[in-house]
Amino acid sequence: MNFQQLRSVREAVRCGFNLTDVAHALHTSQPGVSRQIRELEEELGIALFVRAGKRLTGMTEPGAHVLPVIERILQDSGNLRSAAQEFVAQKSGRLVIAATHSQARYALPGAVQDFRRQFPNVRLHLHQGSPRQVAEMLMAGEADVGIATEALDRYDGLVALPCYRWTHSAIVKPGHALLDGPLTLARLAAYPLITYDTGFTGRPHIDEAFAQQGLVPDIVLSAMDADVIKAYVELEMGVGIVASIAYEHERDTGLRALDAGHLFGINLTKLALRRGSYLRGYVYAFIECFAPTLVRSVVEQALGDESDAGERYEI
């Protein structure tokens, strides 16, 4: 048994049983992948995959049973390398952060700047995506840290810890009628609205608030990025609803913000880690730069708890 055999099985599942894609991911040939899988099956004495001719079409019951063990072995081998590197190069290495667009644009820059001052020799890689994509990058071992408001606490393989609370603001042009008088859902619903895509940056709270009042908002445009939303508000296409941190008074001189926290409630941004992963010292340092309440002892306790540890920590 060898690691290449285990990687071939894992990638076969990740690639939807397409051996051409597996060969590409592992930088080898398709016959080589088939041989690795076949040799592992022979050693274990079980068929891991269902086949139709030479094609893999799914996992057998025994295959589904041993897959988590294979995943665990490969994760532990990665942890072993990381643990060794901790002593070989304590302040250099690579840190991959996966985050949504809003977090990457508005919440992360200060933390990244502070971290770079402490660890100038650590190479930072920032990947942006939807909350689901952030979670999947973590689960696949493609990212070390994930940051988003939605989805991260829905995956059993992740530990999601609270970072900070935030609310929404309504964004309008100077002189807009909404600037006169209290902001209500009924008044907002009277205008075309521009806000986040479904599943992004607190959008579920926005939809829920209107639904509870029996109102049907006229959402004429939705986007993942607050900068896009603000651009179309400036074109007078509608009223924007964005995360409050996305409005910058110094930069957004052509816009005005109205606090909408009382309408759409409080949102909670979370930082997630893959359960069972080994974190190098600089990863803990980055986490604390982003969320000062998440000191190393808190994160270690959460990672060591097999229950849903993130539920226990409050900010």
Side-chain angles (χ1 to χ4, degrees):
M1 187 183 301
N2 59 60
F3 285 114
Q4 190 66 5
Q5 293 170 345
L6 303 181
R7 293 189 192 98
S8 296
V9 172
R10 181 181 66 181
E11 291 303 321
V13 177
R14 289 183 177 179
C15 294
F17 311 109
N18 185 318
L19 293 184
T20 301
D21 291 345
V22 176
H24 180 75
L26 296 179
H27 307 289
T28 185
S29 66
Q30 184 174 330
V33 171
S34 297
R35 185 181 68 255
Q36 295 286 354
I37 293 173
R38 195 166 53 250
E39 289 176 353
L40 180 60
E41 288 179 320
E42 290 172 357
E43 182 165 350
L44 295 176
I46 56 174
L48 298 174
F49 295 98
V50 178
R51 290 171 169 82
K54 294 184 178 180
R55 292 188 303 109
L56 306 183
T57 60
M59 295 211 81
T60 63
E61 183 178 350
H65 183 73
V66 302
L67 179 62
V69 179
I70 291 173
E71 292 272 12
R72 198 156 55 241
I73 292 171
L74 291 173
Q75 183 177 359
D76 285 345
S77 72
N79 288 344
L80 181 60
R81 293 190 188 94
S82 296
Q85 284 297 311
E86 184 75 30
F87 295 94
V88 174
Q90 296 187 19
K91 291 193 174 184
S92 64
R94 182 171 181 263
L95 175 59
V96 182
I97 304 162
T100 57
H101 294 269
S102 293
Q103 301 300 329
R105 169 65 179 83
Y106 298 105
L108 272 171
V112 168
Q113 190 175 41
D114 290 345
F115 178 79
R116 286 287 297 164
R117 291 193 191 104
Q118 295 181 51
F119 298 91
N121 295 322
V122 173
R123 301 186 308 279
L124 279 170
H125 300 267
L126 179 59
H127 299 310
Q128 298 179 58
S130 69
R132 180 180 59 80
Q133 288 171 330
V134 170
E136 289 176 350
M137 281 188 272
L138 283 171
M139 292 293 292
E142 297 169 0
D144 302 300
V145 176
I147 301 170
T149 299
E150 291 83 9
L152 297 184
D153 55 0
R154 300 175 193 164
Y155 290 75
D156 291 337
L158 301 180
V159 175
L161 297 170
C163 295
Y164 68 93
R165 293 186 173 96
W166 57 271
T167 59
H168 288 98
S169 291
I171 305 295
V172 296
K173 294 276 287 182
H176 196 281
L178 283 176
L179 293 169
D180 300 322
L183 184 66
T184 66
L185 286 172
R187 292 187 71 203
L188 267 178
Y191 296 93
L193 300 179
I194 306 170
T195 191
Y196 298 103
D197 281 339
T198 301
F200 281 78
T201 322
R203 174 65 186 273
H205 284 180
I206 296 172
D207 294 339
E208 182 182 349
F210 282 113
Q212 286 179 346
Q213 294 293 319
L215 298 169
V216 180
D218 180 19
I219 298 177
V220 296
L221 179 68
S222 60
M224 294 185 294
D225 191 336
D227 287 340
V228 173
I229 295 171
K230 290 187 292 185
Y232 284 96
V233 173
E234 289 188 315
L235 294 175
E236 299 185 349
M237 283 188 58
V239 174
I241 302 174
V242 300
S244 295
I245 59 171
Y247 175 77
E248 300 170 304
H249 180 73
E250 296 78 10
R251 293 188 180 184
D252 299 321
T253 55
L255 298 171
R256 299 293 181 268
L258 294 160
D259 179 29
H262 61 294
L263 302 181
F264 304 121
I266 296 173
N267 299 272
L268 181 61
T269 290
K270 302 178 186 70
L271 181 147
L273 305 161
R274 188 180 181 190
R275 195 181 297 279
S277 58
Y278 179 90
L279 303 184
R280 295 185 62 181
Y282 59 70
V283 181
Y284 289 104
F286 170 79
I287 293 170
E288 192 169 349
C289 285
F290 182 72
T293 57
L294 297 181
V295 296
R296 180 165 184 158
S297 60
V298 170
V299 176
E300 287 179 334
Q301 182 181 350
L303 286 173
D305 191 340
E306 290 301 318
S307 64
D308 192 2
E311 295 288 333
R312 307 198 198 175
Y313 299 94
E314 299 181 358
I315 59 172

